[in-house]
Structure formats: C-alpha cells, structure tokens
Amino acid sequence: MSSRREFFKFAGVAGGAVAASAVSRVTMAALPEPMIQIRPDTMAPLMPANGQPYSPVVTLNGWTLPWRMNQGIKEFHLVAEPVVREMAPGFKAHLWGYNGQSPGPTIEVVEGDRVRVFVTNKLPEHTSVHWHGQRLPNGMDGVAGLTQPAIQPGKTFVYEFVARRPGTFMYHPHADEMTQMAMGMMGFWVTHPRARHPLIDAVQRDFCFLLNAYDIDPGSYTPKTMTMLDFNLWSWNSRIFPGIDSLNVRLKDKVRIRIGNLTMTNHPIHVHGHEFTVTGTDGGPTPASARWPEVTTDIAVGQMRQIEFLADEEGDWAFHCHKSHHTMNAMGHNVPTLIGVDHRGVAKKINNLIPDYMVMGERGMADMAEMEMPIPDNTAPMMTGQGPFGSVEMGGMFSVIKVRRDQPPGDYKDPGWFKHPDGTVAHEYAGPLSEPARFKSEGGQSMQRAVMPATPTEVQVRKPASHSGH
C-alpha cells in the first residue's frame, strides 16, 4: 500500500445551508492525507489505532481506508478518479473508482461515531456520494441536484454525520449514476456495534465484497456504459475468477461474509459444504425468529446480505453465484451450439478466415478450455483456473472457501490446496456394473384425448439466432 499527498484548489459554495459543502481554503491545509492503493491484493484487516475498538473486516481483493481523529471526529478522504484495475492476471480494465482502485476502500466506523468524509473529484465530470442505507441528515444523503450541488471536477466536498446504527452498507455516486456505476464507482461501509448487541454475534472471520458487472469487448479496456443486461464480466469487487482471492479460515471459526449487489440483476450466492443463516441486511440485523438455515441466498439489485456459518468442515469449498452464465468470463451469448455435430477441423479453417469466430464444441463448452484458442490481448479466457485435479472450468463470480485445521488464528494467508484423507476423493471405478435404471415411460394422462391425429406430429424447435423477437 502506498500513499501520496495531493494539493487541490477549492471554492466555496453559495448558500451555506447545504450540508455537503465545498471545503474552504482555510480547511484545505487540514485535509487528511488521501491513501492510495494500486494493487488488487486482499489486504490484512486494519486494526483500529484509536477511537472505539472493534473487530475489523477483511475486504476481498481490497482494503480498508485509514482515518485520523480530529477532536473526536473520524476523518476520511475519498478521491474519485480514473483507475486501472487488474480484474484477473493478464487482464486490466480502465475504470473509475476511489483512491486508486475499484471498488474504493472500505470505510469502517463504530456505532455512534461522528464521521467526516472529504470527497475530492478528479473525474472529468461532476459527481456525488450517496451513503447507501445510512440514517443521516437529508442534506448529507448525496443526491446531486436534490440534496446538494454536484461536486464539480477539481472540487472537494465534505460530508459529516453520525453513524447511528450498526450494519452493512455501501457508498456510490448519485450523479450520472448509470455511467459512473458502470465504470466501477462504489465502495463498502461497515458500522460496528459500540457494545455487545443481542442480534450481532462475535465472529473470528469477517469478509466483505460487492457484486458488480462490466461489458468490456475482448481486447479492449473500457466498459460500455449503456449496457442494460447483457454483461460479459460478472465480478466480485471488480475481480473475476481466477483473480478472486480465496477466503481462508480456521476450522471451527465463526465466519461472517457481507455482500452487496450493485449489478443490474439478482445473484443467488451459494456456499458448498456448509449451511448459513442470513443475519443482516442494509436494513439492520435480522430478527432471530426470521432466520433459517440456507446454502443459497438470493441478493437482489441494491441489496446487502450478511451471512454467517460455522466453518466445521475441512476442505476447499466452492463459493459462487448459482447463475451459470455468471461463472464465465468474456461471455458471448450468440455462440452457436453444435453439440452432437462432428465439425473436426472445420472450426480451425473458419478461424483462419475469421479470426474471432468461436463455436461451442461438439461435446460442450469444456472443449473450448482444451482448444487453446487464440484470444485478443487483454482478454480473460472464458473458462480458466487450474485446480489440484485439473481445470476448474469456471470464471466470473467464483472463489473458494478454504477451511483448515492448522490455519493460525487471525492468519489470512492462502494455505494451498487441501490434502484429502485417504479414501475421501471420488475416483474411477473399474469393477463390474449392472444395467442402470432408466426412465422408460412418458407416463399416463388424466383423460383420453377427444380426437387423435392420424399421424404423430414431431415438433421441430429452432433455437433463436439472436435476442431479437423475444
């Protein structure tokens, strides 16, 4: 992690009644130093150096923004700016974010803290910051034009309010929102309870990340900002598998994972090997009577979900969105299906004439991972990731929860692949087999048809070639 001191010019805002206001020249010298993170690493939890103590979170492929105490007020400095985000090894995107990264740094405070956030705009257009889910004065809500003037390029505004309730929140622009969020402007906010809370348990591991999506043509760097649904990169904290770090925990740890959704669709998030409960949303802790065991929870657009489980099964457990297209990279949706068609040699000949031609193999999509098909520079393979037994054939919103008996308390380092006890790995069977039972009948019907056709009719189904007409 590196830091730098930036010097800005400021101008006052007419009408001093607005709560999110421009910083005066007198205040300029007292601004907290903006901390900049240029690497997409999962940084260690930031232990509170002052203020009310708490157990910090770990931001997946991200970091927590340091603060300074100024006469009892926690002061932060966010810089909205163009950034370069490595979404996976060998693939970078030109995004907009905060303090050098997209998403921006996580802000951690304690219930009851008075918080002051300086926001400096280094974008080519105006912006604002909305503190999603927070209870605060209306003029601090961050909706440009409604509750404050927009923050113009080169200006710095200050937001100040009390973190009134504990929970899982986020921040994002409310100015040219479609463009700025499509470019990656968002960040996480966690408010820890000040004292023991009857609905908030102590945990040994506390992770957080945001769901976001991009439409970036193969070989290019900048997202399309007009895309509504047909995204080709589904990401966690602007990272795609295999660029998403694993979540490394100790056996018997109580684990909390906080997830926020800023994509354009819902995501059923699924954990292998364990049951969890949804213990909180951006509305606050979930009442105990409303909790039940789950292995998948759906997170709608704009929602936060806080899940908790006891990590009591050792192993490398998959953790992913259960929409199958969301665990793919650079996904094109007009690829013809040729399952069952023998086209050996044809695809290669066509590829010589049309370099970007791509077709599903006759056996399925896994063929594509084996073909070593050339792809444009700065493009993530559609399916990638090498596990201990071969290709994992995943991308997008996929990671691994690694549960280890010997993982030291508080140690977040990757322990490597799980060493399975003898006899606990699925393997090829070479013994005798009886004929398997198969479904042999279409079943009966509730009543006879009045008029039977003279000859049976076989329905021919043609798969649409594009999204037009449906």
Side-chain angles (χ1 to χ4, degrees), residues 361-376:
E362 65 265 21
R363 296 168 295 171
M365 294 293 283
D367 282 1
M368 302 178 77
E370 303 168 3
M371 290 168 64
E372 298 183 3
M373 183 178 294
I375 57 177

Side-chain angles (χ1 to χ4, degrees), residues 183-429:
M183 289 292 290
M185 296 192 70
M186 56 196 69
F188 222 93
W189 178 300
V190 175
T191 300
H192 298 278
R194 177 165 290 272
R196 184 172 181 177
H197 194 290
L199 296 176
I200 302 177
D201 293 342
V203 296
Q204 285 74 53
R205 310 273 172 160
D206 198 337
F207 298 94
C208 69
F209 61 91
L210 290 169
L211 310 175
N212 46 3
Y214 300 96
D215 185 7
I216 304 177
D217 284 336
S220 64
Y221 289 80
T222 305
K224 299 177 183 178
T225 60
M226 303 299 287
T227 301
M228 291 182 63
L229 293 175
D230 206 14
F231 297 92
N232 63 3
L233 295 168
W234 299 95
S235 59
W236 290 356
N237 269 7
S238 299
R239 292 279 284 186
I240 54 176
F241 182 78
I244 301 174
D245 285 344
S246 56
L247 290 74
N248 310 312
V249 308
R250 180 180 173 87
L251 185 69
K252 301 297 184 181
D253 273 355
K254 181 72 175 291
V255 180
R256 176 183 294 130
I257 304 176
R258 308 170 190 253
I259 307 164
N261 181 7
L262 281 174
T263 73
M264 297 283 278
T265 188
N266 64 306
H267 298 277
I269 299 299
H270 176 54
V271 175
H272 288 212
H274 297 82
E275 306 85 31
F276 60 77
T277 56
V278 176
T279 60
T281 71
D282 36 358
T286 307
S289 60
R291 302 178 185 182
W292 64 85
E294 270 286 11
V295 297
T296 304
T297 187
D298 197 42
I299 308 177
V301 179
Q303 288 186 335
M304 317 291 292
R305 288 291 180 267
Q306 178 180 296
I307 66 174
E308 294 177 18
F309 62 95
L310 181 66
D312 55 0
E313 296 285 349
E314 276 195 290
D316 295 333
W317 300 105
F319 175 41
H320 59 94
C321 176
H322 220 291
K323 288 188 175 181
S324 57
H325 279 210
H326 295 181
T327 52
M328 303 286 280
N329 295 329
M331 182 65 180
H333 298 112
N334 290 324
V335 177
T337 298
L338 292 182
I339 291 177
V341 177
D342 184 357
H343 61 282
R344 286 172 290 187
V346 175
K348 184 176 180 180
K349 292 177 181 178
I350 295 175
N351 203 251
N352 291 333
L353 298 173
I354 309 173
D356 60 351
Y357 175 78
M358 186 178 296
V359 65
M360 183 188 290
E362 65 265 21
R363 296 168 295 171
M365 294 293 283
D367 282 1
M368 302 178 77
E370 303 168 3
M371 290 168 64
E372 298 183 3
M373 183 178 294
I375 57 177
D377 292 341
N378 199 55
T379 301
M382 188 178 294
M383 296 187 297
T384 185
Q386 196 69 17
F389 298 101
S391 175
V392 179
E393 295 176 359
M394 287 286 180
M397 294 177 164
F398 182 91
S399 187
V400 178
I401 298 174
K402 296 188 174 184
V403 183
R404 296 292 187 275
R405 186 181 306 273
D406 55 356
Q407 188 84 355
D411 185 351
Y412 289 86
K413 291 194 297 292
D414 187 342
W417 298 118
F418 182 58
K419 296 179 175 59
H420 300 269
D422 291 342
T424 65
V425 177
H427 58 280
E428 182 180 0
Y429 176 75

Side-chain angles (χ1 to χ4, degrees), residues 23-277:
V23 177
S24 70
R25 292 181 181 275
V26 176
T27 310
M28 179 181 68
L31 280 176
E33 182 179 27
M35 302 297 292
I36 308 298
Q37 167 67 290
I38 59 174
R39 302 197 310 269
D41 304 343
T42 299
M43 304 299 287
L46 181 65
M47 303 305 296
N50 48 44
Q52 184 79 11
Y54 59 84
S55 180
V57 301
V58 169
T59 304
L60 195 61
N61 290 104
W63 58 299
T64 291
L65 184 63
W67 69 87
R68 72 174 184 189
M69 296 298 293
N70 184 1
Q71 298 181 345
I73 301 174
K74 275 187 178 174
E75 292 186 336
F76 300 85
H77 192 171
L78 286 176
V79 180
E81 61 183 348
V83 303
V84 176
R85 176 69 164 177
E86 182 192 71
M87 296 191 71
F91 172 48
K92 295 181 179 180
H94 293 172
L95 306 177
W96 290 357
Y98 300 92
N99 297 59
Q101 287 286 267
S102 168
T106 296
I107 293 177
E108 289 187 80
V109 301
V110 176
E111 177 188 15
D113 279 351
R114 176 165 286 277
V115 181
R116 182 180 292 145
V117 185
F118 298 92
V119 179
T120 297
N121 183 10
K122 295 181 67 178
L123 298 172
E125 69 168 357
H126 64 257
T127 190
S128 72
V129 180
H130 168 58
W131 313 100
H132 182 108
Q134 300 282 2
R135 290 290 189 99
L136 36 60
N138 184 233
M140 294 291 178
D141 196 44
V143 182
L146 177 66
T147 64
Q148 68 166 86
I151 309 172
Q152 297 299 325
K155 305 296 183 182
T156 294
F157 273 47
V158 59
Y159 297 84
E160 186 170 329
F161 54 90
V162 174
R164 290 164 54 182
R165 58 191 182 93
T168 299
F169 310 105
M170 53 187 165
Y171 60 88
H172 59 79
H174 242 300
D176 193 11
E177 185 173 331
M178 182 186 73
T179 297
Q180 295 186 14
M181 290 177 63
M183 289 292 290
M185 296 192 70
M186 56 196 69
F188 222 93
W189 178 300
V190 175
T191 300
H192 298 278
R194 177 165 290 272
R196 184 172 181 177
H197 194 290
L199 296 176
I200 302 177
D201 293 342
V203 296
Q204 285 74 53
R205 310 273 172 160
D206 198 337
F207 298 94
C208 69
F209 61 91
L210 290 169
L211 310 175
N212 46 3
Y214 300 96
D215 185 7
I216 304 177
D217 284 336
S220 64
Y221 289 80
T222 305
K224 299 177 183 178
T225 60
M226 303 299 287
T227 301
M228 291 182 63
L229 293 175
D230 206 14
F231 297 92
N232 63 3
L233 295 168
W234 299 95
S235 59
W236 290 356
N237 269 7
S238 299
R239 292 279 284 186
I240 54 176
F241 182 78
I244 301 174
D245 285 344
S246 56
L247 290 74
N248 310 312
V249 308
R250 180 180 173 87
L251 185 69
K252 301 297 184 181
D253 273 355
K254 181 72 175 291
V255 180
R256 176 183 294 130
I257 304 176
R258 308 170 190 253
I259 307 164
N261 181 7
L262 281 174
T263 73
M264 297 283 278
T265 188
N266 64 306
H267 298 277
I269 299 299
H270 176 54
V271 175
H272 288 212
H274 297 82
E275 306 85 31
F276 60 77
T277 56

Side-chain angles (χ1 to χ4, degrees), residues 435-450:
E435 183 66 21
R438 288 187 171 88
F439 185 73
K440 297 180 179 179
S441 172
E442 295 300 326
Q445 57 193 46
S446 59
M447 60 188 70
Q448 292 291 328
R449 182 172 175 175

